[in-house]
Amino acid sequence: MTLTITVDPDSATAPYEQLRAQLSAQARSGVLPVGYRLPTVRGLAGELGLAANTVAKAYRALEADGVIETRGRNGTFVAAAGDAAARNAAAAAQDYADQARRLGVSRADALALAEDAVRAAYAR
């Protein structure tokens, strides 16, 4: 299995975000299976021509999202992220619903606002 990542330096999207999004999509789709060992930060930075801090920032974001896990000196691996991602998304949705209700936003308006936010996020 070969890790396939491309970073467009001319993109309006930051390189760390391009890297984060591609690794996340590949892990969630199964292209990168659970337990797959990722390259070291320095190794991947060298392959992609990025600063090590850029790759480290992407890895930190992926770890916070539950997509990857770092096992100390043993390396960084793809985690069983599907369940964690679904739990995190459900918790965020619940927080939003609770906040909208406390603010007195109607159910219909809360749904419309959430739909607008999702549409905008996925259009990027």
Side-chain angles (χ1 to χ4, degrees):
M1 163 163 309
T2 304
L3 180 64
T4 305
I5 300 289
T6 56
V7 177
D8 179 4
D10 297 324
S11 174
T13 304
Y16 92 90
E17 177 56 26
Q18 292 179 53
L19 177 58
R20 187 211 59 78
Q22 289 178 58
L23 285 172
S24 180
Q26 289 181 31
R28 293 182 199 290
S29 70
V31 170
L32 295 177
V34 171
Y36 177 81
R37 185 177 182 161
L38 294 170
T40 64
V41 167
R42 286 186 183 178
L44 187 55
E47 287 178 36
L48 298 175
L50 297 172
N53 285 340
T54 300
V55 176
K57 185 175 182 179
Y59 275 20
R60 282 192 305 272
L62 289 163
E63 191 162 22
D65 291 344
V67 176
I68 65 173
E69 60 187 7
T70 301
R71 300 178 190 161
R73 292 180 169 246
N74 292 321
T76 303
F77 299 84
V78 173
D83 292 339
R87 279 192 310 273
N88 289 343
Q94 186 63 56
D95 290 345
Y96 168 75
D98 292 342
Q99 180 74 9
R101 185 166 169 245
R102 278 193 301 274
L103 292 171
V105 177
S106 73
R107 183 177 188 273
D109 288 346
L111 288 170
L113 290 167
E115 181 63 33
D116 289 345
V118 169
R119 189 178 305 110
Y122 282 85
R124 296 182 197 153

